[in-house]
Amino acid sequence: MGGDLIITGGVPLNGTVHIPAAKNSVLPLLAASLLCSGTVRLLAVPQLADVDTSLVLLRGAGCAARWQGSDITVQSMPSVCRLEPEAAARMRASILFCAPLLARLGRVETVLPGGCRIGARPIDLHLSGLAQMGAYCCEEGTRLILTAPAGLHGADITLGFPSVGATETLLLAAVCAQGAGTGTVRVQGRRVLYGCSFAPMADRIVASTLACACAAAGGRVELTGCAPAVYAPLLEILAQMGCGIETGPESAVIVRSGALHGAGRVFTGVYPALATDAAPLLAAAMLCADSVSSIEDVVFERRFACADGFAAFGADVRVQQRTLHIRPVRQLQGAEAAAPDLRGGAALVIAALAARGRSRIADTGHIDRGYACFVQMLTELGAQIEREMPCGSTCEKKTPSKKQI
């Protein structure tokens, strides 16, 4: 969608939001649909740029993939072993579509995947695991060719790092491989997988975004449809910073009415620790605290590209290697900033919601990759936010309203 987000900050957020399905659940499931002989229907899928890119990849592979209301259906087996290069280059998750095509067709051609530039994101763990299962890899510049002339077979694989993406790739390869591997996850391969209807899990990062927005701007926000256990580390830190947190099995209430305190030193980690994607979101809330905080991302070395944007709002921040150091300031001020990546862009929106005055966030295409109806969602919580499109485009504006809680 793109355009700029225009935000008038200093308005507390109040209301209820039902958390949508997670992008990072939907995309692997769409890749897995390539393995199924029947129709796959994913229920209540958010309309995200990366989801549309995935549909381009599926159609290019010969499948019938389309929206039906808020659901997505995928039909027919793949018949083309080449991933559409422009779409594959746009999205990091395009690498997930390789293993199913390799398993079904014995060959896949693609380009090196794209995505947010938040640090080194090698695919060596994906490729080395596939090699252990019988695949051969050939790289020609940015072109990647994988073949499995004798098919894929079971293997015992130990990842050098607990990579989510590599784990997903190898699971997608293993479910149709001959034989079984052993270890933490045991997969017995089968020749035929069937279609189904399935509701992807809720998006803990969207929930984390709104929780941090409430902590930064103040107010009371209830988040439903997402188990607090999956983003518990973030909620625990917000509680330590002075927010009121109430949780149920599938809901959480975040209240911030008084001062926000520094969190001290915080680290991300692999699940179930604090999610790397939540790091810039939590950092945006830390900008509003009355004492120092620091947050280190152990996964990506350029996670805090949003620091320059924070500084534009008047924040006292400093990046040292993988750590963002934050010192308190009296008040954030409205400013102009550009989204450097998906989560960094959302973090700048959070900072703008807390700042005094009017702000403009540019390069919002990054944000659209992971947040559906972001303007509407925030507007319904009472935020003063609208999307301003370039000349010749329509402007998405929302009249502030509040949902009853």
Side-chain angles (χ1 to χ4, degrees), residues 306-342:
C306 54
D308 287 344
F310 287 163
F313 288 104
D316 185 351
V317 294
R318 176 173 58 90
V319 177
Q320 185 178 25
Q321 296 179 333
R322 294 172 180 257
T323 302
L324 180 69
H325 299 275
I326 303 166
R327 297 178 62 84
V329 295
R330 185 175 182 85
Q331 173 69 55
L332 298 178
Q333 301 294 328
E336 296 188 1
D341 52 65
L342 169 53

Side-chain angles (χ1 to χ4, degrees), residues 29-30 33 36 38-45 66-75 194-200:
L29 291 170
L30 288 173
S33 69
C36 299
T39 299
V40 173
R41 177 182 290 270
L42 299 186
L43 308 177
V45 176
R66 63 183 181 274
W67 288 96
Q68 290 189 341
S70 62
D71 299 346
I72 287 178
T73 61
V74 183
Q75 296 172 299
Y194 303 102
C196 68
S197 293
F198 185 77

Side-chain angles (χ1 to χ4, degrees), residues 94-390:
S94 65
I95 191 66
L96 299 178
F97 291 75
C98 291
L101 289 177
L102 187 63
R104 284 302 184 207
L105 303 178
R107 178 184 177 90
V108 60
E109 298 181 23
T110 187
V111 296
L112 295 178
C116 292
R117 297 176 179 176
I118 53 178
R121 308 178 79 179
I123 58 172
D124 56 313
L125 294 178
H126 301 248
L127 300 181
S128 62
L130 290 173
Q132 288 180 255
M133 299 176 70
Y136 295 88
C137 173
C138 176
E139 290 188 47
E140 300 175 356
T142 61
R143 190 162 167 253
L144 179 66
I145 303 171
L146 295 170
T147 58
L152 297 175
H153 56 74
D156 292 335
I157 300 172
T158 301
L159 296 176
F161 177 82
S163 163
V164 173
T167 301
E168 291 168 341
T169 284
L170 299 179
L171 286 174
L172 289 166
V175 292
C176 288
Q178 298 300 303
T182 60
T184 304
V185 178
R186 181 180 176 86
V187 180
Q188 177 65 54
R190 300 187 62 177
R191 289 188 177 276
V192 179
L193 300 178
Y194 303 102
C196 68
S197 293
F198 185 77
M201 69 178 294
D203 197 326
R204 63 179 177 142
I205 306 303
V206 171
S208 298
T209 302
L210 297 175
C212 290
C214 181
R220 181 184 188 276
V221 172
E222 182 175 2
L223 307 175
T224 64
C226 184
V230 300
Y231 61 110
L234 179 128
L235 293 176
E236 291 168 3
I237 294 168
L238 292 180
Q240 293 167 8
M241 294 174 68
C243 294
I245 306 292
E246 299 176 10
T247 61
E250 295 291 327
S251 65
V253 176
I254 297 91
V255 180
R256 187 244 165 149
S257 56
L260 203 62
H261 309 303
R265 194 173 183 187
V266 173
F267 300 85
T268 65
V270 297
Y271 187 84
L274 178 68
T276 173
D277 279 357
L281 311 173
L282 183 57
M286 291 173 171
L287 302 179
C288 305
D290 59 9
S291 52
V292 298
S293 302
S294 70
I295 182 165
E296 179 179 348
D297 185 26
V298 303
V299 181
F300 296 115
E301 65 270 23
R302 292 197 295 275
R303 173 55 82 180
F304 299 111
C306 54
D308 287 344
F310 287 163
F313 288 104
D316 185 351
V317 294
R318 176 173 58 90
V319 177
Q320 185 178 25
Q321 296 179 333
R322 294 172 180 257
T323 302
L324 180 69
H325 299 275
I326 303 166
R327 297 178 62 84
V329 295
R330 185 175 182 85
Q331 173 69 55
L332 298 178
Q333 301 294 328
E336 296 188 1
D341 52 65
L342 169 53
R343 305 305 174 186
L348 294 180
V349 171
I350 294 173
L353 291 171
R356 178 182 298 162
R358 188 173 184 267
S359 299
R360 178 185 292 268
I361 308 299
D363 293 344
T364 59
H366 292 296
I367 301 173
D368 296 333
R369 291 181 47 237
Y371 296 88
C373 304
F374 198 32
V375 169
Q376 179 181 346
M377 191 182 299
L378 291 170
T379 296
E380 291 179 350
L381 292 175
Q384 295 185 15
I385 178 173
E386 64 184 35
R387 189 186 297 266
E388 183 179 282
M389 300 300 292

